[in-house]
Amino acid sequence: MGLLKSLWQGFVGGADFTQLVTERFILEDKLLKITMPVSNIATVEPPKEVNYPYRSNYWFSHKQETHTHETYVHIYTELWMYLPIIGIQPCSEYGMLSSVFRIKKPPDGINALDNQALGSWLNQEYDEYYNHPEVGDKMQGRNTYLRAKMSKHTTLSDEVMAEQLEACISGSGYPSIPDARTVRINGTEWVFYQLVNPRSRSRTDMYCLGLDEGHYLVVRFSHRVDRSDKHKKWRKAANQTQQRVMEMVSLTDYVADEPQSRLSNDTSSALQTSSRQETA
């Protein structure tokens, strides 16, 4: 039956919704419950944290990490690989879907509970970082660097220069992304935005939800395409996995006397899994 299903869908691997894991995390006065398929990738599992007192500036500053334009506190990660039915070469993976949960802070003056304000800031954060006038570490000012590099080609006409610059930023920089928008999932309104590049089939989808005025939860799905000629085989399945995972995310008021045993691993299979460090 498994082989027939693989032949029909065109790949093996991916998310198996018959094997689910449920994790619970205390986010101050909220309880975050995450239910999703277990990973099909063997990884080393670090100890899992349950309590996230994110309103403590000291705690947040010591837990936060930065990758390109985003500074955040990592909560949980799950990964699923999509593979050919018959793997001939060692690196023949079609691609990977990852689901990562984080806590982030907006800047002063941006209310994370205001979806319109938060959505505008998410686009602004991206644009200001990669178009920053000063070129720095972690890709800060990357587009500024590319513009300065292209400006040395003084023999090009303005029209050709504009075309070449657009192609250069699309290929080696960070082109503009679509405006953030609000999506409703199970009655909850999330701010949704995408990191996409017209020259790449890979993409990142993000769902953001205000925890309080100064913090918000991020659910980040990265669709990494390793073989562009095979992306159609698993793209639909990955999109469906993303939607189903989001439908099973629960953020409710935390009841302090809830038994701690329920805040550890709560699986629907005999397989054990826990949070994993995010892969870049």
Side-chain angles (χ1 to χ4, degrees):
M1 187 70 176
L3 178 59
L4 291 177
K5 179 181 178 181
S6 297
L7 291 172
W8 172 75
Q9 65 187 7
F11 63 85
V12 296
D16 181 358
F17 280 85
T18 67
Q19 299 185 64
L20 299 175
V21 59
T22 296
E23 302 282 1
R24 291 177 171 86
F25 304 92
I26 302 171
L27 311 184
E28 294 283 1
D29 55 355
K30 299 292 183 182
L31 178 64
L32 173 64
K33 188 168 100 172
I34 302 169
T35 301
M36 61 177 64
V38 298
S39 175
N40 61 352
I41 304 173
T43 61
V44 176
E45 301 177 359
K48 189 191 78 169
E49 291 189 43
V50 172
N51 290 284
Y52 288 77
Y54 60 83
R55 290 175 183 154
S56 166
N57 291 330
Y58 177 84
W59 180 90
F60 200 101
S61 64
H62 280 75
K63 292 290 185 179
Q64 71 182 15
E65 51 191 291
T66 299
H67 178 68
T68 59
H69 71 285
E70 294 185 274
T71 298
Y72 54 86
V73 171
H74 175 259
I75 300 177
Y76 184 77
T77 295
E78 202 70 272
L79 315 168
W80 305 278
M81 292 296 300
Y82 296 83
L83 308 164
I85 298 173
I86 300 176
I88 300 176
Q89 299 176 351
C91 297
S92 58
E93 296 90 350
Y94 289 167
M96 182 182 74
L97 174 66
S98 65
S99 178
V100 182
F101 289 74
R102 299 170 169 174
I103 301 173
K104 290 186 61 178
K105 288 183 177 182
D108 292 341
I110 302 297
N111 183 352
L113 298 175
D114 183 335
N115 283 353
Q116 184 174 356
L118 180 59
S120 296
W121 157 245
L122 293 171
N123 283 97
Q124 182 181 344
E125 176 188 40
Y126 176 93
D127 290 337
E128 289 184 350
Y129 186 88
Y130 297 114
N131 295 289
H132 196 282
E134 296 182 5
V135 178
D137 297 332
K138 302 181 186 295
M139 290 296 175
Q140 176 183 299
R142 176 62 177 175
N143 293 347
T144 302
Y145 165 78
L146 294 175
R147 291 188 186 95
K149 184 178 179 181
M150 288 295 298
S151 67
K152 297 178 181 179
H153 298 279
T154 56
T155 58
L156 299 177
S157 67
D158 291 344
E159 182 179 357
V160 173
M161 174 65 78
E163 293 176 354
Q164 291 294 320
L165 180 58
E166 181 180 359
C168 183
I169 290 178
S170 293
S172 303
Y174 294 83
S176 298
I177 58 174
D179 290 341
R181 56 189 175 87
T182 299
V183 297
R184 181 181 290 271
I185 302 175
N186 290 342
T188 299
E189 291 189 342
W190 297 76
V191 177
F192 173 78
Y193 76 114
Q194 293 181 301
L195 305 182
V196 292
N197 189 311
R199 291 178 175 263
S200 174
R201 297 194 186 278
S202 298
R203 77 174 198 271
T204 298
D205 294 350
M206 298 202 195
Y207 299 82
C208 304
L209 180 65
L211 297 171
D212 59 22
E213 291 187 359
H215 304 83
Y216 58 99
L217 175 68
V218 180
V219 188
R220 185 181 195 270
F221 293 91
S222 292
H223 298 245
R224 191 192 76 194
V225 176
D226 294 322
R227 291 186 57 182
S228 59
D229 60 322
K230 301 294 184 181
H231 78 284
K232 291 183 179 180
K233 288 182 177 295
W234 61 275
R235 180 175 59 184
K236 181 178 179 181
N239 289 341
Q240 291 174 341
T241 295
Q242 175 174 312
Q243 180 65 28
R244 292 182 68 179
V245 167
M246 285 303 302
E247 290 172 352
M248 291 189 290
V249 174
S250 171
L251 186 68
T252 58
D253 291 337
Y254 170 60
V255 179
D257 60 353
E258 182 169 356
Q260 286 295 316
S261 61
R262 294 192 59 200
L263 299 175
S264 59
N265 285 343
D266 175 17
T267 64
S268 59
S269 69
L271 297 177
Q272 294 183 346
T273 188
S274 73
S275 57
R276 298 172 175 83
Q277 297 291 345
E278 178 184 358
T279 55

